Amino acid sequence: MRVDVNRAESDLDDSRSSEATQAGAQAFLRLLNLAEQRDSGQIARVARFLASLYNGQAFPLDPYDLRAVDVAISDDMLCCLDALRWGRADLHTLGNARMLAVIERWGLRWPADA
């Protein structure tokens, strides 16, 4: 009986992980498009958030940025964080060259030791 419970929990985790990864990938691409195409204070926060997904040590996440953007944007940020939590894939690999261009476009600076 316990084996069946463990199997059911594992299947549920796999399903939840897959759903979070798919939703996170879609949210990531929406945020990436914003950072590439728009120019506002909110979008500067989006760019910093994306950079933190790209390299969290070089570009630390400020969780208060979630409160300083529109609800739809913060919902996408949370989807990305959920995908990151489930760890099926690194979202930034969906647009590695695009991410580097966003970091450059928004004037984000790599630390000297990065």
Side-chain angles (χ1 to χ4, degrees), residues 15-31:
S15 174
R16 195 167 171 194
S17 174
S18 179
E19 290 171 15
T21 301
Q22 290 174 10
Q26 292 169 358
F28 175 82
L29 293 174
R30 283 191 296 271
L31 293 172

Side-chain angles (χ1 to χ4, degrees), residues 12 17 38 49 58 88:
L12 181 61
S17 174
R38 301 245 180 109
F49 174 81
R88 279 224 169 176

Side-chain angles (χ1 to χ4, degrees), residues 37-59:
Q37 299 171 8
R38 301 245 180 109
D39 186 8
S40 74
Q42 284 193 85
I43 307 307
R45 287 180 167 84
V46 169
R48 285 193 305 269
F49 174 81
L50 292 170
S52 74
L53 294 179
Y54 185 75
N55 185 326
Q57 290 183 335
F59 306 104

Side-chain angles (χ1 to χ4, degrees), residues 21 51 76-77 84 91 103 108:
T21 301
D76 278 348
M77 290 174 163
L84 185 65
L91 295 177
I103 290 168
L108 303 174

Side-chain angles (χ1 to χ4, degrees), residues 23-24 27-28 30-31 34 41-50 52-53 61-84 91:
F28 175 82
R30 283 191 296 271
L31 293 172
L34 288 175
Q42 284 193 85
I43 307 307
R45 287 180 167 84
V46 169
R48 285 193 305 269
F49 174 81
L50 292 170
S52 74
L53 294 179
L61 172 65
D62 180 355
Y64 284 94
D65 280 346
L66 292 168
R67 297 172 62 178
V69 295
D70 291 342
V71 171
I73 291 173
S74 64
D75 285 347
D76 278 348
M77 290 174 163
L78 289 171
C79 280
C80 289
L81 292 175
D82 198 35
L84 185 65
L91 295 177

